Amino acid sequence: MNDDSVDYVTPRAAGVPDPWSAQGGGRTSQRLVEVAEVPAPEPVAEAFALAEGSPVVLRRRIMLFDGRPVELTHSYYPTPIASGTELAEPRKIPGGAPTLLARLGYPPHEVVEDISVRQATAVEAAELEITEGHPVLVLFRVTRAFDGTAFEASMMIMRPEGRHLRYRIMVG
């Protein structure tokens, strides 16, 4: 699997599949586990400049590669942006969330990613079909609009095997 973050935050043209679905080298799919308004966990509240526990919209998915769970994705959105949109509905979003967000007036401008490694919790291990305590790669991504508004925060918990993260930084 090759993950280039730019693909995952870029809006898609009509009819172009989301980057997970378009990934080559194997059969990809995703299972939408939950769409709900939930209290913002601390890092999400901080990213959105909200009080911890403020309501946010969560889209929780399990990403599958060749039928095997490889990533748990928890994407959070401020309720003023997500409420009443497809982000708050329990179904797949054509072209992915970045395409919908761009249509809503939130194209990506700045993306900050924090990557760490830790041991899987019992719940994560069960969902990823690994043993509790197995190392997982954790990527926390915050996407902001041109005006600095953070409109998406995602926590991805991944099996580290087969991952290749690529970054390109333009300076000046």
Side-chain angles (χ1 to χ4, degrees), residues 90-149:
R91 61 186 177 97
K92 188 170 176 157
I93 299 170
T99 302
L100 173 62
L101 286 159
R103 282 198 328 257
L104 295 173
Y106 296 94
H109 174 66
E110 177 187 43
V111 177
V112 176
E113 294 185 342
D114 182 77
I115 302 170
S116 60
V117 175
R118 62 167 170 76
Q119 295 181 334
T121 66
V123 171
E124 293 164 350
E127 289 183 325
L128 288 170
E129 298 176 4
I130 57 177
T131 58
E132 185 175 351
H134 187 279
V136 289
L137 186 65
V138 180
L139 189 151
F140 183 68
R141 174 187 298 146
V142 177
T143 307
R144 297 180 185 282
F146 286 95
D147 67 359
T149 301

Side-chain angles (χ1 to χ4, degrees), residues 4 10-11 24-25 29-30 41 50 66-67 69 72 74 76 82 95 110 112-113 121 129-130 133 139 157 165 167:
D4 187 337
T10 302
S29 61
Q30 57 181 288
L50 299 170
D66 287 337
L72 310 176
H74 304 84
Y76 299 88
E110 177 187 43
V112 176
E113 294 185 342
T121 66
E129 298 176 4
I130 57 177
L139 189 151
I157 299 109
L165 301 174
Y167 292 88

Side-chain angles (χ1 to χ4, degrees), residues 12 16-18 21 30 32 35 59 61 75 77 85-101 103-104 152:
R12 315 303 271 184
V16 176
D18 65 83
S21 299
Q30 57 181 288
L32 185 60
V35 177
R59 293 182 64 82
R61 302 173 311 283
S75 297
Y77 307 92
T85 74
E86 292 171 87
L87 291 167
E89 296 175 8
R91 61 186 177 97
K92 188 170 176 157
I93 299 170
T99 302
L100 173 62
L101 286 159
R103 282 198 328 257
L104 295 173
E152 181 178 50

